[in-house]
Amino acid sequence: MNNSWAISTDNLTKRFGKGASAVVAVDHLTMQIPAGCIFGFLGPNGAGKSTTIKMLTGLLRPTEGTATVAGYDIQRATLDVKRNIGVVPEGLNLYERLTANEYLELVGRLHDLPADDIGERREQLLSVLDLIEKADTLVVDCSHGMKKKLALAAALIHRPPVIFLDEPFEGVDAVSARTIKDMLRQMVDRRNVTVFFSTHIMELVERIADQVAIINKGKLVATGDLKELRERARLDGHASLEEVFLQLVDAQVGETQLSWLVG
Amino acid sequence: MRTILWLQWRLLRNTVRRGSRQDWGRLAGLGIALVLMLPAFLIFAVGLILLYRRLPSNTAYQLLSVVLSGVLLLWLTTPLAQASLTEPFDLPRLFGLPVRLHTLAVGSLIVNVFTIGFVLTAPLLAGAWVGFAHLNLSLLVNAMVLLTFFALLVVLTALVNDVLDLIAEDRRLRNVAVFIGSLPFIAYAFGQFYYQSRFFASIREGDPGRAVSPWEIIDALKPARFLRFIPSGWVAEAMAGAMQHQWGSVLFYTALLALLLVVAVALHVFLLRQLFFGDLVRWQVAAPRRSGLRRLPEAPRLPFISRPVAARFWALVRVDLLNMQRNPMTGRMLIAPLIFGLFTFLLQRQGVSTLIPALSLGVFLSYLLGMNPGHNQLAILDHQGLGALLLTPIPRAYILAAHNAAVLLAALAMTFVVSVFLVIVNGDPLTLPIALLGAFLSGFPFVGLGNLTSVFLPYKVDLERGRAAANEARTSLLAVLPLTFGMPLGAAPAIMLIIVPWALYKPALIIALPLALAYSLGVYAVTLRIAARGLAQREEAILQAVTEGR
């Protein structure tokens, strides 16, 4: 396995349960993601996206296979992986009875940041994400969008080289979403950061992702830039990512069954 | 480790904050609770010290084993009741951050000290040490034994938390855990009831009117002979051994405690490792596979109601019943009729009073009244579902009436179980319809009051855990108080109109029953009308309250 990749998986597999009733959530996933790119990870519901992210971030032990993140083996050097990544998980899992300020302080402390750096960075992050007025508000009293932005601030405060985002823009207002997108792009271009994000919003992936992977029923269906995916789906150069996605996951849109609805 | 302690301190401090401000109401509540509770426990501990010193040594040792077993039970059940002083530390939230496993393991033990168990039991443990301090060596030995026991309490509590975290993903496993957690209390209640009645009889033999002191009961029961098989009993054995200079016994039971402590720590680390790597326990329930979708049952015809109206009402009742069936709180509440029935059966067998069945029914109906409004607001009310209903043009009175119908059906089912026990006890088949009528008629006005509080004082409750979010505790109190004060006006007349004639002069039921029916329906109709109007006018505020947690 080439350690120059920001993220690399080799036959990564996760099975839940045993024997005939076992469910294979991720099935021998092999892919390489270079440093300094925004990587969109797409798939229908239940395809294995969140399970893959959980394994790559050290929250779930793979049943088979290996993976490295930021050059560290996810099983042998879990702590080093966690030191070098920022994560906005699917369920935000924030301490609800800490204030936004306190939560960022907690994350900064656990990443061994000096107190001055924590103070300075959290103020800047909260300002940019339009949370500064809520800095001393308990997380429990924040809206879902604010919690999402706070989780993002916590994922960035230690300047990680690899960032995992699970549905990062869900519930986030348009202005903040634009700010976040610009910030991520600058981090990628200037600091060679790798952003691995999963979403259902095709237009978003089409607009900001440099590389895309499509996963279906736990298996990697295709990976590459949009041009390569179009070729793989045998679609012309004008096909949208949505068309490519539907073609690759073999989705059936059942219009005929809804004649009572569509006329 | 310092950061973990800092986290625990901030969580503790923030229990008295709301939004970005200090919540003075909560701070005052906490202060009052501490002012009332701490002295009570200190006085209790001082009283125990005096008893340990003045009672005969064997009685003192029996008392010690009972007190320490109570302490053990309190610690083990604290995580189940989620009564820690702060927001739960909740280790899995730290798993995504760069924290070492052993730091988490040690941290989880240290933060377990900040529980209500510690505040309440530290005086009791200190009291045991002082009460059994007889010579220098025993002072040292007892301190060592009690500290080992305290360490064991902390680790066992952490273990219970681990198990709860492991099963947190599975609703069925959570229900099983709550059921298992309640078994010691049920066993204690019935065991105490059985032994108390049995030993009262044997102690009073020949002199039925003689007063019996608790010490006589403890001497007769000799609880330590059972409790010596659990860790609290080992502590009592070791301390009694030190008092009597039986050093072999001291060594044996202390070694047992230490061994269990080591095993418990190893198990805690093992479980934590499983949690850390996401190897969650999942109960693989193979749902029966059906080919195709089931047809929905036809709506039953209702008297005086047109078919379309009945169909709409039935659809609402059905979804409420399904919601109730799948709600974890329902299962927990259904155990109550069995306990009531068994207690009535045991009391009647002792021949305490011929009025036992009537009293028992009265108490059970009062319990149902306490449960109904709670169930109306906490259990059946599917908050997101309510949001969906309010987007439809369905009349608001239907929504409330359907909730009420589901609640009343559950109350009738529970009353039926109790009534079966009552019929067995008194052999009077009339008991069954009387009990069902009692539940029906007393339930009506009370669910009506529940409607009013649901509409005018709505609050969000964590349905899985069955409690209001921390910030909503004050609101929930406001919602419960009117119900408490409304009880005499709402339901008591109906209950009295049934229970009193049934117990004293049954022919009067011919007049009392129609009166009770008219009263109940009248109260319900008035409250439903007001609540339905309120629901229509306050939709936005209610939705915000129950879906956003504000």
Side-chain angles (χ1 to χ4, degrees), chain B residues 130-172:
Chain B
V130 176
F132 276 76
H134 288 278
L135 66 146
N136 288 340
L137 190 57
S138 73
L139 263 178
L140 188 68
V141 168
N142 288 349
M144 201 175 70
V145 172
L146 284 167
L147 281 175
T148 312
F149 181 56
F150 179 71
L152 186 64
L153 291 175
V154 170
V155 181
L156 289 178
T157 308
L159 269 177
V160 175
N161 274 323
D162 293 340
V163 172
L164 290 179
D165 283 338
L166 274 169
I167 62 174
E169 296 289 310
D170 194 301
R171 180 169 56 88
R172 295 176 191 86

Side-chain angles (χ1 to χ4, degrees), chain B residues 211-388:
Chain B
V212 179
S213 76
W215 326 125
E216 283 179 281
I217 296 173
I218 281 185
D219 274 339
L221 269 176
K222 296 186 178 58
R225 65 195 154 131
F226 306 115
L227 300 175
R228 76 200 318 172
F229 296 106
I230 59 175
S232 50
W234 303 346
V235 180
E237 292 290 338
M239 289 173 68
M243 198 164 67
Q244 291 159 3
H245 301 207
Q246 292 171 350
W247 303 112
S249 169
V250 174
L251 198 64
F252 175 72
Y253 284 107
T254 311
L256 260 185
L257 270 176
L259 182 67
L260 183 61
L261 179 63
V262 171
V263 171
V265 169
L267 192 58
H268 172 54
V269 173
F270 170 75
L271 286 178
L272 204 56
R273 185 178 288 277
Q274 298 296 105
L275 269 171
F276 194 69
F277 291 108
D279 297 337
L280 299 173
V281 174
R282 282 168 197 273
W283 198 351
Q284 300 287 341
V285 178
R289 287 177 190 279
R290 297 193 186 94
S291 54
L293 293 168
R294 276 190 308 170
R295 274 182 69 84
L296 289 174
E298 282 291 316
R301 294 300 300 267
L302 295 172
F304 312 114
I305 297 175
S306 68
R307 188 177 272 278
V309 172
R312 273 185 266 169
F313 187 72
W314 174 243
L316 289 168
V317 172
R318 192 167 175 275
V319 81
D320 284 333
L321 285 173
L322 279 175
N323 196 17
M324 183 160 61
Q325 178 196 332
R326 289 165 190 171
N327 192 303
M329 281 179 70
T330 309
R332 292 170 208 173
M333 281 191 282
L334 288 182
I335 203 163
L338 290 173
I339 293 174
F340 264 99
L342 276 172
F343 262 116
T344 310
F345 182 71
L346 290 170
L347 278 169
Q348 183 70 10
R349 273 191 55 173
Q350 287 172 33
V352 177
S353 166
T354 53
L355 289 176
I356 285 296
L359 287 172
S360 178
L361 180 58
V363 171
F364 182 71
L365 291 183
S366 304
Y367 162 76
L368 277 184
L369 296 183
M371 185 206 80
N372 282 351
H375 209 213
N376 193 29
Q377 294 203 5
L378 313 182
I380 289 193
L381 198 61
D382 173 348
H383 303 120
Q384 313 304 329
L386 178 68

Side-chain angles (χ1 to χ4, degrees), chain A residues 59-61 79 82-83 93-99 102 105-106 109-111 136-138 140-141, chain B residues 6 10 13-14 17 19-20 87 89-90 93-95 97-100 276-279 471 550:
Chain A
L59 292 172
L60 201 58
R61 194 158 27 194
L79 207 62
K82 287 176 183 173
R83 282 196 187 107
N93 259 348
L94 307 171
Y95 279 100
E96 299 225 313
R97 294 207 68 81
L98 291 182
T99 65
E102 287 169 340
E105 186 177 348
L106 168 72
R109 279 166 171 251
L110 291 174
H111 279 286
D136 290 317
T137 299
L138 292 181
V140 70
D141 292 317
Chain B
W6 172 88
R10 287 299 168 111
R13 199 190 67 169
N14 289 353
R17 280 172 67 103
S20 56
E87 176 187 10
F89 188 64
D90 206 2
R93 290 190 221 186
L94 293 172
F95 288 169
L97 295 163
V99 190
R100 286 177 196 282
F276 194 69
F277 291 108
D279 297 337
N471 275 353
R550 283 159 196 246

Side-chain angles (χ1 to χ4, degrees), chain A residues 105-134:
Chain A
E105 186 177 348
L106 168 72
V107 177
R109 279 166 171 251
L110 291 174
H111 279 286
D112 294 328
L113 294 180
D116 290 346
D117 283 2
I118 295 175
E120 197 178 317
R121 289 181 188 182
R122 78 177 168 191
E123 196 180 329
Q124 288 172 7
L125 280 167
L126 291 175
S127 293
V128 169
L129 293 170
D130 198 22
L131 286 174
I132 198 73
E133 286 177 13
K134 295 280 179 184

Side-chain angles (χ1 to χ4, degrees), chain B residues 32-43:
Chain B
I32 291 168
L34 284 176
V35 165
L36 292 177
M37 276 167 60
L38 269 183
F41 268 78
L42 284 173
I43 292 167

